[in-house]
Amino acid sequence: MAILFLFGALLCLGGWLLQFASQTASGDTSETEIVVIPSGSSVKEINTLLANAGLVRDDVRFSVLARYLGIAGKLQAGEFALHRGQTPQELLKELALVKPIQHAVTIREGLSIAEIADVFASGGWCDAEEFVRLANDPDFLESVGLSSGEKLEGYLYPDTYYLTREERPTEDLLRMQVRHFFAVWNAIKVTAPLGLSPYEVLILASMVEK
């Protein structure tokens, strides 16, 4: 009798979960909705964010389904373009595999540190004042491999960077550009004139530019 009761309970539970998993949300699958999921969000919090975007119902079965599918630990943080008109099961699988949206940020040649800070700040990537402060902080300069007397200006490599919406300290933006500079430098240093250091080449390039 107990086995029959347990079997019946499992059957009801399965039907309860299947009924939710097979519900199709409103909208067409050709349409997408931008959703930002903060780092550290729980499955329940992700469900609420998706529900607010009209992509799924806010339902306890979302968390149960995510765990049943083995997807709960694979749900990502970031900014995503998710398709409408999907079942919760399809939406969960998409969120586990989708790539975050990348935003192109172009740093032109010849910009000062303050101007570079303004470019990033205008896109909401950092606070301009904090960017400039760090760029002139001796301890920070040392942490990126620059010696005393060197200035960060010039090591902030001009290029188009592709950023995703995630929480990142301002120093990561500076480190990103410095790493890019040294990657380029290491590729061309064999042709540097008279064995000049990167800093000396920068000074020379600045004089030529002026």
Side-chain angles (χ1 to χ4, degrees), residues 46-209:
I46 292 174
N47 182 200
T48 300
L49 289 168
L50 297 175
N52 291 340
L55 297 172
V56 70
R57 286 174 54 188
D58 196 347
D59 193 303
V60 67
R61 287 174 288 184
F62 183 89
S63 297
V64 176
L65 181 62
R67 286 169 174 78
Y68 174 77
L69 295 173
I71 289 176
K74 299 177 182 178
L75 300 182
Q76 311 171 74
E79 180 184 23
F80 307 100
L82 300 173
H83 291 87
R84 290 189 170 278
Q86 298 191 90
T87 65
Q89 181 172 339
E90 292 169 335
L91 182 60
L92 278 164
K93 289 181 178 178
E94 180 181 32
L95 187 54
L97 298 173
V98 70
K99 300 296 184 184
I101 296 173
Q102 291 188 320
H103 298 270
V105 180
T106 299
I107 305 299
R108 295 182 291 103
E109 286 190 46
L111 295 185
S112 66
I113 288 176
E115 289 170 331
I116 294 173
D118 287 339
V119 172
F120 283 119
S122 66
W125 300 104
C126 72
D127 177 79
E129 290 185 5
E130 173 67 5
F131 188 98
V132 173
R133 185 193 69 76
L134 272 173
N136 291 284
D137 184 335
D139 291 335
F140 178 75
L141 297 183
E142 184 178 349
S143 76
V144 295
L146 303 187
S147 59
S148 60
E150 291 185 291
K151 296 184 180 297
L152 194 60
E153 199 158 17
Y155 284 98
L156 302 182
Y157 196 81
D159 203 345
T160 296
Y161 295 89
Y162 294 90
L163 306 178
T164 56
R165 291 289 179 192
E166 59 188 45
E167 294 181 9
R168 61 162 59 82
T170 300
E171 64 182 48
D172 283 358
L173 296 173
L174 290 160
R175 292 183 190 279
M176 171 186 70
Q177 295 173 89
V178 174
R179 282 197 304 269
H180 194 18
F181 169 86
F182 280 110
V184 173
W185 168 256
N186 288 331
I188 67 169
K189 65 181 180 181
V190 291
T191 61
L194 305 176
L196 298 179
S197 69
Y199 188 58
E200 290 168 332
V201 171
L202 286 175
I203 293 175
L204 181 61
S206 177
M207 292 171 63
V208 170
E209 182 179 12

